[in-house]
Amino acid sequence: MDHPRPTLRCAREDLKLPIPPIDDPLDEIDHPLLAKAAEQLTDDTTRHERIRAIDDEILFKVKVRRWRGAIWTEESLPWLIAAGVREDGSLDDFYASLAVDAQAARARYNAEHAKPLVTGTYCGHLLPNQDDYERYQLEAGTRLIRHLSESVRVLIRASLHDGREHSTGFSTFVLGVQVRADNGHETYVAVRITGSVPDNIIYLVLDLVPGCDRDGWYPEPRLPGRPLYGAEQAWSNLMDPKVASTLLS
């Protein structure tokens, strides 16, 4: 299950938060309601309480301090679609108001459409829209860069310890790294990609290798100890030994 993220409308209107830039994913917004939702969704022992007054969609309650929210899940991606603050002296006024608004939305929908809804409520206007999905897709680049950056460093550290090639798989390709140090004088690093990837991914991966001159990468016909196999591409460079030492420590 992915981390819950608010819809753009919920973030702006309900949580009263500014929309962060694309390189700050919405599922990383620091808010107690989102943190509580993540805790509930990742804990198999926590009972998920459905909002029974809503019958056109399956929504679950999330509560923390005075905050109240409604979670809607699409496959493995949960969305915070509505949020509010409990008023003093009232236990569940947010959910009562949500139900009243959904009933009014149903009445408006039926007045505007020839085929009426048979449910008692309508929450379609609260669900993620095209802007939300486009934002999610744009954030995919940030998520990939972070994953690549961490993976490159993990592979380099592992190879620095034993001089062997270490690899990890992504959705469409396999990334391999081999580092060999020569008594602290030179540190050779080779990067191998197996699979069909666009050139911009290759350049991105090479730029993420620390301590290397970005203009010092050269295509390699083989890796140390073995030739390249089909669908493999490889490049080599020299890494600053001081950077390599820092990575090890």
Side-chain angles (χ1 to χ4, degrees), residues 81-99:
I81 64 168
V85 177
R86 176 181 63 82
E87 300 296 335
D88 290 337
S90 177
L91 295 177
D92 289 311
D93 60 295
F94 166 76
Y95 297 110
S97 297
L98 181 66

Side-chain angles (χ1 to χ4, degrees), residues 136-214:
Y136 181 74
Q137 290 300 321
L138 289 171
E139 289 178 4
T142 296
R143 289 188 287 272
L144 175 59
I145 291 173
R146 291 182 178 182
H147 188 190
L148 279 170
S149 180
E150 178 60 24
S151 297
V152 165
R153 289 177 177 269
V154 168
L155 296 175
I156 289 173
R157 289 191 193 100
S159 189
L160 278 168
H161 280 290
D162 60 19
R164 299 170 183 258
E165 180 186 356
H166 291 258
S167 62
T168 187
F170 289 80
S171 59
T172 60
F173 65 95
V174 174
L175 172 65
V177 175
Q178 186 168 7
V179 186
R180 290 190 170 182
D182 178 17
N183 296 324
H185 298 294
E186 284 188 342
T187 301
Y188 167 89
V189 56
V191 174
R192 182 261 301 179
I193 291 178
T194 304
S196 178
V197 294
D199 286 345
N200 61 334
I201 293 295
I202 295 172
Y203 298 137
L204 173 60
V205 170
L206 298 181
D207 279 345
L208 289 173
V209 179
C212 292
D213 180 355
R214 66 180 307 172

